[in-house]
Amino acid sequence: NTYGPTEATITSHAFECNLDSLDKVAKVPIGATMPNTCAVVLGQAGFSAKHPVQFGLPGELHLAGPKLARGYIGRPDLTARSFRHHSSLQQRLYATGDRARWLPSGDLEFLGRIDFQIKLNGQRIEPGEIEAAAQSAAGVRKAVVGLRPTAARTDRLVAWVVPGRADPGAVLEACRAGLPGYMAPAAGGPLAEWPRPSPGKLDRRAPPRPALTPR
């Protein structure tokens, strides 16, 4: 199992999947750091943090080393935001936007995207965990979870599933069975396909509004 952003020449970590290694982990990690790459997990302060987070604690994964790109062509603003020199570590780092933590084995565990985190009623929620539970329902190929306002101006968790023939009720039941109550979506809706803007990535900010099935 390999991991790595384009900004770090595609592959920065790898984990060898075999019966022995998989018996020792709850889920497949992104693995150990590959040659010519340095990985640092920093806390909420990001580039301003003086030191990496303690071993085993979650933070944002930053990469360094000769494999880093110089920046984004024609985008000095984005380059300055994503590539910066860390004064204490004396290295130029790239902020991946991915949450991770170090495992006792020396492998990194991927915990989700920093910018996809949801906060609902004071609880921090990883949409990826809910999406994995939704995708365990029969007939679901893809699930995307987000917050949507109600008529009472409060937020609720909604799970959209692809393809459109998937049963939202079964999806909500799968989430209730496998997740804590505060993480279970309050409604679900089917979509034929998820909208993708020109770069081809999911547009999580503006999904269509299908008829929703409340839980």
Side-chain angles (χ1 to χ4, degrees):
N1 181 43
T2 60
Y3 163 91
T6 304
E7 291 86 347
T9 322
I10 307 300
T11 306
S12 64
H13 292 77
F15 179 80
E16 184 176 353
C17 299
N18 53 52
L19 292 178
D20 181 60
S21 65
L22 293 177
D23 281 342
K24 299 176 182 177
V25 294
K27 64 179 181 179
V28 178
I30 59 178
T33 308
M34 298 187 70
N36 295 319
T37 306
C38 175
V40 182
V41 179
L42 299 177
Q44 292 185 347
F47 288 117
S48 301
K50 292 184 177 180
H51 304 287
V53 297
Q54 295 181 12
F55 183 86
L57 295 181
E60 184 178 4
L61 176 59
H62 292 69
L63 301 176
K67 292 168 64 176
L68 286 193
R70 297 180 181 178
Y72 301 101
I73 295 176
R75 292 296 308 274
D77 55 331
L78 187 57
T79 298
R81 189 162 64 244
S82 300
F83 295 87
R84 292 174 62 182
H85 182 78
H86 192 288
S87 57
S88 296
L89 298 176
Q90 290 298 303
Q91 294 190 84
R92 179 173 175 265
L93 302 180
Y94 165 67
T96 66
D98 291 334
R99 294 179 70 247
R101 65 173 178 173
W102 291 107
L103 299 176
S105 61
D107 295 304
L108 271 173
E109 181 181 33
F110 175 76
L111 301 174
R113 290 286 299 170
I114 293 287
D115 49 358
F116 292 164
Q117 260 195 345
I118 290 173
K119 191 170 184 180
L120 180 65
N121 299 326
Q123 299 275 8
R124 290 194 178 276
I125 296 172
E126 289 291 347
E129 295 182 35
I130 306 174
E131 291 165 2
Q135 287 169 193
S136 69
V140 176
R141 188 176 77 244
K142 177 71 178 177
V144 180
V145 173
L147 287 179
R148 285 297 174 267
T150 67
R153 296 185 179 180
T154 58
D155 288 331
R156 64 175 173 175
L157 275 174
V158 175
W160 291 274
V161 295
V162 174
R165 61 179 178 274
D167 180 7
V171 171
L172 297 179
E173 184 61 35
C175 291
R176 285 195 296 269
L179 297 169
Y182 73 92
M183 292 178 64
L191 296 173
E193 286 292 340
W194 192 262
R196 295 176 182 269
S198 53
K201 296 183 179 181
L202 293 178
D203 185 0
R204 291 171 175 263
R205 295 169 300 177
R209 295 183 177 274
L212 297 178
T213 301
R215 90 177 152 175

